Amino acid sequence: MKIDQVRRHALSLPDSSEAPHFHFSSFRVKGRIFVTVPPDEARLHVFVDEDVREQALALDPEFLEKLFWGGKAVGLRVTLADADEAVVEALVRKAWEHRSRPARRRAKRP
C-alpha cells in the first residue's frame, strides 16, 4: 500500500484535513490527530482505542505493531509495504471515528 492511497482515504472522511505535526504529516478531524505519517512515509501511526488495537494485532501481526508514546500503547504502527489496503482503510476510519467523538470532560476532583 502507498501513502497516496492512505491520504486519499483519510481526506475523504468528513471534516478531515492534513497538517504538519513537527516533522511528521498528520490527518486530523476537528483539530484532533487520528493518523501521523513519519517523514519516510514507509509507516503509518494510527490512533485507535485498545479494543480495536488488540483485535487488529491478533488478526494482522505481519504488518501491525503496537505504537507506544511515553510508555503507553496509544495505537498501531502500520508497515505500509506489507499492509492490506482494506485493513488499513478500516483502521484509519476507526481512528477517525475515535477522534471525532466529542472529548469527554474529566470530572473535577474535590
Side-chain angles (χ1 to χ4, degrees):
M1 183 166 198
K2 304 283 185 195
I3 193 62
D4 289 338
Q5 295 167 283
V6 174
R7 179 172 284 113
R8 248 188 325 274
H9 176 63
L11 293 174
S12 75
L13 300 170
D15 300 319
S16 294
S17 62
E18 185 173 7
H21 180 67
F22 300 96
H23 60 284
F24 286 49
S25 183
S26 71
F27 297 99
R28 301 166 186 248
V29 58
K30 300 177 184 175
R32 300 177 73 201
I33 294 172
F34 63 96
V35 171
T36 59
V37 183
D40 67 6
E41 298 185 342
R43 289 174 300 285
L44 197 64
H45 299 162
V46 183
F47 298 94
V48 292
D49 64 24
E50 182 179 2
D51 292 338
V52 172
R53 182 184 71 233
E54 294 306 316
Q55 182 179 16
L57 285 167
L59 294 172
D60 296 297
E62 61 278 359
F63 61 88
L64 300 174
E65 61 184 278
K66 282 186 186 180
L67 174 64
F68 289 94
W69 184 272
K72 180 181 174 188
V74 295
L76 293 164
R77 179 175 287 119
V78 180
T79 302
L80 289 174
D82 302 328
D84 178 277
E85 182 177 347
V87 172
V88 173
E89 287 183 357
L91 290 171
V92 168
R93 178 170 282 283
K94 287 288 189 185
W96 173 87
E97 290 170 357
H98 179 65
R99 295 293 201 218
S100 66
R101 290 184 212 133
R104 293 184 200 164
R105 293 187 178 221
R106 293 184 182 172
K108 291 184 181 179
R109 295 180 186 207

